[in-house]
Amino acid sequence: MVTAAPGEERSPALALVNTRRLSPAGPVDDLAEPGPAAAWLRLPSVTAEDLRRLHDLRAAVRELLAALAESRSPGGDAVTTVNAAARADAAAPQLAWRSGPVREWHSTRPGSFEEAVAALARDAIDVATGDLGGLVRACEAHGCVRFYFREHARRRWCSTTCGDRVRAARHQRLVVEQRDAR
């Protein structure tokens, strides 16, 4: 089980990007096949065409987050792809009242692939244009390709696993340097 990067619980778009990562065994894609992609989206099924669209959206959102983390403009068609996905389903904000006012988006096609893709794209737009955009960081561990929201000034990694790997590598370097210095 992979530990969620800080912020994934608040941003489905961040979680989407992090479904593609590196493990000790090599590259991992949690959405490589229609079955796992449907389960991740909580849909009954996903077609091959849907999967291609989901992969395109993931690549575009990854580019948006990388641009935010690197303080640059996104390249390619990332903005166009995200905007097109956001238009895939008509939705409107609705007011709900729980322990106070809450804004919810209600789809005209609930439970559809279009609703899922549009919700992911709208979340990516909210991240890029909101307060969370300034918190997007790429994990600094060598080989890691995940992103996270940096809400603590000392955080540099997406997980304790990455942090432990970096500290272990640093320790090993020091041991070797001390041995070679003798």
Side-chain angles (χ1 to χ4, degrees):
M1 184 70 184
V2 176
T3 305
E8 284 186 21
E9 72 284 351
R10 289 187 292 163
S11 173
L14 179 66
L16 171 67
V17 167
N18 288 338
T19 59
R20 187 170 213 167
R21 62 187 183 286
L22 295 176
S23 76
V28 174
D29 185 350
D30 295 331
L31 307 178
E33 300 294 326
W40 192 86
L41 292 169
R42 296 184 180 118
L43 295 173
S45 64
V46 169
T47 67
E49 175 59 22
D50 293 340
L51 190 61
R52 184 197 59 75
R53 288 175 51 205
L54 185 61
H55 288 175
D56 289 349
L57 177 61
R58 180 175 60 186
V61 174
R62 174 173 287 284
E63 174 57 22
L64 289 180
L65 295 183
L68 287 168
E70 298 165 8
S71 299
R72 62 171 175 81
S73 295
D77 293 330
V79 172
T80 302
T81 300
V82 169
N83 285 337
R87 289 189 303 269
D89 177 50
Q94 302 289 312
L95 177 64
W97 205 273
R98 294 195 177 66
S99 55
V102 177
R103 179 182 61 170
E104 296 177 341
W105 287 88
H106 288 269
S107 168
T108 58
R109 297 174 1 185
S112 69
F113 178 78
E114 286 73 19
E115 176 197 27
V117 167
L120 289 166
R122 283 192 301 270
D123 182 64
I125 292 167
D126 288 345
V127 167
T129 60
D131 295 337
L132 294 176
L135 302 176
V136 173
R137 297 291 185 277
C139 182
E140 294 181 18
H142 177 71
C144 187
V145 297
R146 291 178 19 152
F147 289 88
Y148 67 97
F149 293 150
R150 183 177 178 195
E151 296 182 288
H152 188 280
R154 294 185 63 194
R155 181 176 275 284
R156 299 284 184 255
W157 307 294
C158 69
S159 66
T160 55
T161 302
C162 279
D164 290 347
R165 225 181 29 212
V166 169
R167 285 187 286 277
R170 183 173 49 221
H171 175 74
Q172 184 61 32
R173 264 195 323 274
L174 290 173
V175 168
V176 169
E177 287 173 7
Q178 288 173 351
R179 185 191 66 210
D180 292 345
R182 292 182 207 169

